[in-house]
């Protein structure tokens, strides 16, 4: 893997498998709810709620932590700890704002192509592990209760299901600064909806509501505003007894319309090459989007961050 520091995959004693699944990392935490057989992972980023290297490292560590717990349970002859995995955010109004644009701008100006490729590879390794449900017998779900932009949207697309609140803002603003979303958007969207609709969504730069994307077939379950968590829990409760059927359906989907890690890595390299072609005018637009995000986080700007790049 392409990480700045080794992934800390805790060693979990078999006798303590269930209890030890609860864990806190610097930028996220994991909580097992035994009654619903669901594992909840909540992003709590220390800085900007984007896919910084620090957050991605914690996602990798969390994924290894979960797979270790399942392996320990299997080795001890125990029932698997959970049937469902839910990824959510603790940041009010924000799921994730996407790639670390400030970092991208710095690396592009420094002509540091290798760092961009490395960042992208770290991102898609985590995204691909989501896509294959960690190679575990679980159904995965992204719970989107606010803005999911760029890489935040790509991250949500990598799960089996997207549950989103009606007014959540979701989209791919990269085209506004002459870029392409390179961490899985094309791969996942072209499998959820047809190629033409996927390309139209990518090239428009438009930010959609979850309600609009639900009508397009991108969002799987639409929740009323403020009721995302209740809706996710209700979905798990209603489908828990038929988990085996749902699990097999998503496994079949991945076999028929799967996305390989090699495909994701290849597109990252195209993305990094395209990034090196950006001019100063494009980088200034990227910088304005970063500034809009900063104002939003300071509570001085309204949602709809992509407008700043126009």
């Amino acid at each position: 893997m392409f990480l700045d520091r080794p992934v800390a995959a805790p060693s979990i004693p078999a006798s303590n498998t269930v209890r030890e699944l609860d864990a806190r990392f610097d930028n996220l935490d994991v909580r097992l709810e035994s009654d619903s057989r669901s594992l909840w992972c909540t992003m709590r980023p220390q800085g900007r709620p984007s896919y910084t290297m620090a957050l991605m490292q914690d996602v990798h560590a969390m994924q290894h932590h979960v797979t270790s717990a399942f392996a320990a349970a299997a080795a001890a002859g125990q029932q698997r700890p959970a049937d469902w995995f839910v990824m959510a955010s603790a940041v009010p109004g924000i799921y994730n704002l996407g790639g670390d644009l400030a970092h991208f701008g710095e690396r592009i100006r420094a002509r540091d192509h290798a760092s961009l490729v490395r960042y992208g590879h770290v991102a898609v390794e985590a995204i691909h592990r989501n896509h294959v449900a960690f190679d575990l017998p679980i159904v995965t779900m992204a719970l989107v209760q606010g803005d999911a932009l760029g890489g935040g949207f790509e991250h949500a697309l990598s799960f089996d299901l997207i549950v989103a609140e009606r007014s959540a803002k979701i989209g791919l603003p990269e085209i506004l600064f002459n870029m392409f979303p390179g961490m899985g958007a094309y791969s996942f969207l072209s499998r959820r909806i047809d190629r033409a609709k996927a390309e139209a969504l990518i090239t428009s730069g438009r930010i959609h509501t979850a309600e609009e994307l639900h009508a397009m077939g991108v969002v799987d379950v639409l929740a009323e505003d403020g009721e995302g968590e209740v809706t996710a829990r209700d979905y798990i409760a209603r489908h828990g007894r038929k988990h085996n059927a749902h699990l097999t359906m998503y496994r079949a989907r991945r076999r028929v319309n799967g996305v390989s890690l090699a495909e994701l890595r290849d597109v990252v390299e195209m993305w990094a090459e395209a990034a090196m072609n950006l001019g100063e005018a494009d980088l200034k637009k990227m910088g304005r989007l970063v500034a809009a995000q900063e104002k939003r986080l300071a509570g001085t700007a309204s949602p709809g961050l992509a407008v700043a790049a126009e």
Side-chain angles (χ1 to χ4, degrees):
M1 289 191 303
F2 299 78
L3 298 176
D4 286 340
R5 57 179 168 79
V7 168
S11 176
I12 301 174
S15 61
N16 293 329
T17 298
V18 171
R19 180 174 59 82
E20 296 296 336
L21 249 172
D22 287 3
R24 181 175 289 277
F25 300 86
D26 290 342
N27 295 277
L28 55 82
D29 58 41
V30 182
R31 182 180 75 260
L32 177 66
E33 297 189 357
S34 299
D35 290 348
S36 62
R37 298 194 48 76
S38 60
L39 189 60
W40 291 71
C41 181
T42 305
M43 294 180 282
R44 302 179 186 277
Q46 293 187 346
R48 183 187 293 116
S50 299
Y51 278 109
T52 61
M53 186 65 77
L55 175 58
M56 292 193 300
Q57 288 171 332
D58 280 353
V59 170
H60 278 270
M62 175 275 295
Q63 291 169 335
H64 283 277
H65 172 71
V66 172
T67 55
S68 294
F70 273 69
Q78 298 174 355
Q79 182 184 31
R80 62 176 177 262
D83 293 331
W84 306 84
F85 177 90
V86 183
M87 191 81 170
S89 169
V91 182
I94 296 174
Y95 179 76
N96 191 278
L97 297 180
D100 189 346
L101 298 183
H103 173 71
F104 296 166
E106 291 173 359
R107 294 303 89 211
I108 293 166
R109 286 191 170 96
R111 312 308 297 164
D112 188 356
H113 174 266
S115 286
L116 292 177
V117 172
R118 184 169 177 272
Y119 174 100
H121 283 174
V122 172
V124 298
E125 285 172 10
I127 282 172
H128 185 261
R129 198 171 291 115
N130 290 340
H131 172 59
V132 298
F134 314 162
D135 287 321
L136 297 174
I138 55 176
V139 174
T140 65
M141 178 188 298
L143 173 55
V144 179
Q145 296 172 284
D147 291 2
L149 305 178
F153 185 16
E154 291 173 304
H155 182 259
L157 286 167
S158 67
F159 293 96
D160 293 326
L161 292 159
I162 299 176
V163 177
E165 294 187 358
R166 187 177 297 277
S167 297
K169 302 297 191 297
I170 305 172
L172 301 164
E174 288 86 349
I175 192 72
L176 300 178
F177 47 88
N178 199 21
M179 265 302 285
F180 173 85
M183 314 297 169
Y186 194 99
S187 297
F188 292 117
L189 281 172
S190 63
R191 287 161 170 86
R192 278 182 175 256
I193 54 180
D194 65 52
R195 177 187 57 78
K197 289 179 181 178
E199 291 181 358
L201 198 156
I202 290 169
T203 57
S204 74
R206 182 183 166 198
I207 306 303
H208 296 267
T209 64
E211 183 175 15
E212 292 172 321
L213 291 179
H214 181 258
M216 292 170 59
V218 177
V219 168
D220 299 286
V221 180
L222 191 64
E224 295 303 321
D225 294 338
E227 297 182 8
E229 184 174 335
V230 170
T231 300
R233 292 182 184 282
D234 179 66
Y235 186 94
I236 290 170
R238 286 187 294 109
H239 296 285
R241 294 183 62 184
K242 297 179 181 178
H243 177 267
N244 183 61
H246 286 263
L247 174 66
T248 307
M249 180 175 68
Y250 294 122
R251 290 180 62 195
R253 177 202 286 177
R254 290 192 286 272
R255 175 63 182 87
V256 175
N257 288 317
V259 176
S260 70
L261 179 57
E263 176 181 323
L264 294 172
R265 287 169 61 92
D266 285 347
V267 174
V268 161
E269 290 169 17
M270 298 174 197
W271 166 83
E273 182 179 350
M276 301 308 292
N277 293 329
L278 294 184
E280 188 58 32
D282 300 318
L283 293 174
K284 286 180 178 178
K285 290 180 181 178
M286 186 186 296
R288 287 201 292 272
L289 182 52
V290 173
Q293 291 179 350
E294 296 286 0
K295 289 180 181 179
R296 167 75 187 284
L297 296 172
T300 60
S302 61
L305 302 177
V307 175
E310 293 181 315

